[in-house]
Amino acid sequence: VCSSDLGYVGGYYGGCNSGKLMRELHKNGPVAVGLSPDSQFMMYKSGVFQQQPVDMGVEWRRVDHAVLLVGYGVESGTLQGDIPYWLIQNSWGKYWGMEGYLHLGPRGHNAMQMESITVAADIISKPSSNTGPRPGARRQKDKVTLAP
């Protein structure tokens, strides 16, 4: 597998935000993103998981966990009112969170630093070396978004 057209969503490191991330997700599908979760992340069961907002102006951000951003929504009727969230699929299996998923919020506040530093790349799958390309076959090209 190789990639082309690698670049930060938003054009530069720190240039992404929730609106740009929503457009990338809508246009190209699920997005792999990096997070900087706290210790409570491992214990998540349901609802909107919230951490303190992270300053978007910080020059360098630590990330130590990758997840798949698959959608977004709004959880209504909470004590805090309506909470916009990101729908995240984690790699820890169906017994973590809500059958492997998390509502991360509030969307628009750089929760766990994921909104500000997303990288996108076009992934090009090469044919297996032992089979060679099929006559008339085109190279498969899928859009995947990678976290830094």
Side-chain angles (χ1 to χ4, degrees), residues 70-126:
V70 297
Y72 50 88
V74 175
E75 187 161 316
S76 301
T78 72
L79 294 175
Q80 299 167 315
D82 294 346
I83 303 174
Y85 65 84
W86 295 108
L87 179 59
I88 302 288
Q89 181 181 12
N90 200 353
S91 60
W92 295 344
K94 68 179 184 175
Y95 298 107
W96 177 86
M98 296 183 298
E99 296 188 10
Y101 290 84
L102 158 84
H103 289 174
L104 176 62
R107 188 177 69 242
H109 292 269
N110 201 25
M112 287 194 234
Q113 304 182 16
M114 71 161 246
E115 293 177 7
S116 58
I117 55 174
T118 303
V119 175
D122 289 333
I123 304 298
I124 302 168
S125 298
K126 292 183 176 183

Side-chain angles (χ1 to χ4, degrees), residues 4 20 26 32 50 71 85:
S4 66
K20 292 173 185 175
H26 179 74
Q50 299 183 60
Y85 65 84

Side-chain angles (χ1 to χ4, degrees), residues 23-81:
R23 283 190 293 279
E24 179 73 22
L25 179 65
H26 179 74
K27 181 179 176 186
N28 298 306
V31 179
V33 295
L35 302 177
S36 182
D38 64 17
S39 60
Q40 295 302 308
F41 181 78
M42 291 176 27
M43 305 304 158
Y44 172 77
K45 295 290 183 199
S46 64
V48 177
F49 184 81
Q50 299 183 60
Q51 280 186 314
Q52 292 292 352
V54 176
D55 180 10
M56 298 289 274
V58 174
E59 185 175 333
W60 177 254
R61 291 165 181 77
R62 180 183 75 95
V63 295
D64 58 13
H65 186 58
V67 294
L68 191 63
L69 172 62
V70 297
Y72 50 88
V74 175
E75 187 161 316
S76 301
T78 72
L79 294 175
Q80 299 167 315

